[in-house]
Amino acid sequence: MIRISSNTAAKCFGLVFLVCFSKNSNNKVLSFLLLPLEKCRRVMIHSNNNNNKLCMSSTKKQEKPQTTQETDDETPLNPVGAQFFGGSAEKEELFDEEIEKNSANASTLLLLATYNRFDNLDAFPDAAAKAVARKYQASLNALLYQQDESSSEGTTTTEDIYSSDFTWISPLKSFKEGRTPFEEIATAMDFYRRMDISIISAKSSTTTSNANKMELRWMISLVWPNFWEAQVTITGTSMLTMNGLQITKQEDSLDNGDITNAIAWQLLPRFWDMFHIGMTPSAEIQPRLPVPHKNMLFSNYQVFDIPPRYVLKPSVLDQGSRDMRLAQVLPSSAFSCFIVTAGKFKQRYVPTTPVEVRINSETQQGGGTARRITWTIPVPTLVASALDLPIPAEMSPSSSSSANDEYYSFDTTRRVATIPYAGNPQDEKVADLRKKLYDSVVRDGFRPKLDGAGKPIFFFIQNKIKCCFTEGGFGMAVYESRPKLLSNDDVGIELEID
């Protein structure tokens, strides 16, 4: 005998979906029924202590179910309805009006700690450069995000930053003379969908002849006004000539050398972004500056430089075997917020890619060794432009600066060599590729970079992961599905920069 348990009818895309169970088959699912919604105005399940009975009506009027008696001697299915799936027979009201009102600010409520990136001595080694960079960044944020200048630390007017005889030499400027960088940025904001600018690092000149000069490194992220809203990243430096706290001259240079080369390749539609259309916005891809070498036409690997930038470096101890595949998924400790991706309070978020994975042996206090897995996640310009960077709530705000430095890291310019590989970080084949890559770069005259134990530094690049950030930090990871036959990822090695 076939019975249909209560609460098993659900509306889905204009259909009524029914699940039928067989009593004689130990409550196994016997069949699924899909009934057009327009043909079945109402599905009504009569139930009492003895049995369940299915009735269908074509009337639109809502009626109370009637209790019927059944002469069948068979006992009814028990449990039924939501209880069959482990739920409660009584419906719980989960909607909270107060929580719903505060949902727009919920992500900021989780931020219990921040990290002052200008205290990082690798990025800002001297006090003068730190003061100028922080002041410049605060003024940029006030211009780009229309912040209240009274609430922005160190915000000043354009006249306070640039002298009256200011000179600007840059491949980014327009043909109009006498304009300052801030005036150019204000004009460009009308063209691009979005613009973020981060002062990555700054250092004063150490020579006596250039005592009044300072170098700023910056990163610009643009959302291009085309159909797919291409994400364009530009990196470079500015050499400033200072007169006190005012800038009298600024000379800009791009890492790519030419503005066309820096932008053109990023405007093209990316295959995997189009293949997974609607999954995320276009990702901010980590810049790669090709390094020519004597055997580059016939080699099976690539050599490139990665400009300095801020990264997240969460890590965990690998307590299990490689079969657990722990390195394939980012740890929960890396996330500092959540992201509202739909609805009234939808947030703007920026994906970055790729993610690096390193697996190293580590000596334990009690003796023995263990494997430590460390991920390197690029921080987007949106987050890196903040004066204070958000960190996970479970990390202490100020007393644990060393823990914050482990979470955020400033990577200086890196030279790496990579070889494509279609697989996972903990595959056994990765060891063979490492040896092959090491032999190739040594043969072509490169010097591998060594760690503290005198071993080469290898890593694995996961191109299939997009790390999504809001102003509140890292909130979501998207793992793309790609055919394994394609060489999606890379095995890499660190090289010395001569």
Side-chain angles (χ1 to χ4, degrees), residues 2-9 19-23 27 45-54 74-91:
I2 300 174
R3 296 188 183 276
I4 301 178
S5 64
S6 60
N7 295 334
T8 56
V19 185
C20 302
F21 299 89
S22 173
K23 179 177 181 293
N27 293 341
I45 301 176
H46 301 297
S47 63
N48 55 21
N49 295 331
N50 298 322
N51 50 45
N52 296 320
K53 182 178 179 182
L54 172 69
E74 295 181 347
T75 57
L77 295 175
N78 187 33
V80 296
Q83 287 180 305
F84 182 84
F85 300 97
S88 174
E90 297 294 332
K91 179 182 177 182

Side-chain angles (χ1 to χ4, degrees), residues 265-323:
W265 69 274
Q266 301 184 70
L267 295 179
L268 300 176
R270 300 163 188 165
F271 175 79
W272 292 112
D273 285 343
M274 302 302 293
F275 184 80
H276 299 285
I277 189 168
M279 179 181 290
T280 67
S282 296
E284 186 177 294
I285 298 181
Q286 188 178 58
R288 296 182 175 185
L289 310 176
V291 176
H293 57 93
K294 60 181 180 181
N295 197 30
M296 62 182 301
L297 295 178
F298 304 100
S299 64
N300 57 353
Y301 65 92
Q302 293 181 332
V303 181
F304 53 89
D305 288 344
I306 301 176
R309 73 178 303 162
Y310 288 96
V311 295
L312 302 184
K313 287 195 174 182
S315 66
V316 297
L317 284 177
D318 188 7
Q319 303 290 352
S321 64
R322 69 169 71 238
D323 295 333

Side-chain angles (χ1 to χ4, degrees), residues 15-156:
L15 300 175
V16 173
F17 181 69
L18 302 178
V19 185
C20 302
F21 299 89
S22 173
K23 179 177 181 293
N24 297 330
S25 302
N26 296 325
N27 293 341
K28 292 184 178 178
V29 175
L30 182 63
S31 63
F32 300 93
L33 300 180
L34 287 177
L35 303 179
L37 190 59
E38 64 273 8
K39 295 296 181 68
C40 178
R41 298 292 185 183
R42 179 163 55 90
V43 176
M44 184 168 59
I45 301 176
H46 301 297
S47 63
N48 55 21
N49 295 331
N50 298 322
N51 50 45
N52 296 320
K53 182 178 179 182
L54 172 69
C55 298
M56 289 184 288
S57 171
S58 61
T59 60
K60 297 182 181 179
K61 183 179 178 180
Q62 295 291 334
E63 299 177 358
K64 294 183 179 180
Q66 299 177 356
T67 303
T68 61
Q69 297 294 331
E70 189 77 280
T71 59
D72 197 343
D73 294 331
E74 295 181 347
T75 57
L77 295 175
N78 187 33
V80 296
Q83 287 180 305
F84 182 84
F85 300 97
S88 174
E90 297 294 332
K91 179 182 177 182
E92 297 182 17
E93 185 58 64
L94 300 179
F95 178 81
D96 190 307
E97 185 175 356
E98 189 65 25
I99 294 178
E100 184 70 15
K101 290 180 180 180
N102 295 331
S103 61
N105 301 322
S107 61
T108 59
L109 296 177
L110 297 178
L111 286 180
L112 303 180
T114 56
Y115 172 62
N116 184 359
R117 65 184 180 92
F118 291 92
D119 288 339
N120 191 311
L121 296 180
D122 292 331
F124 305 96
D126 59 279
K130 171 184 173 180
V132 172
R134 189 177 181 93
K135 174 182 176 181
Y136 205 102
Q137 183 70 73
S139 300
L140 281 172
N141 292 350
L143 173 64
L144 292 171
Y145 312 127
Q146 303 299 317
Q147 295 177 350
D148 182 5
E149 293 193 4
S150 62
S151 62
S152 298
E153 178 185 346
T155 302
T156 55

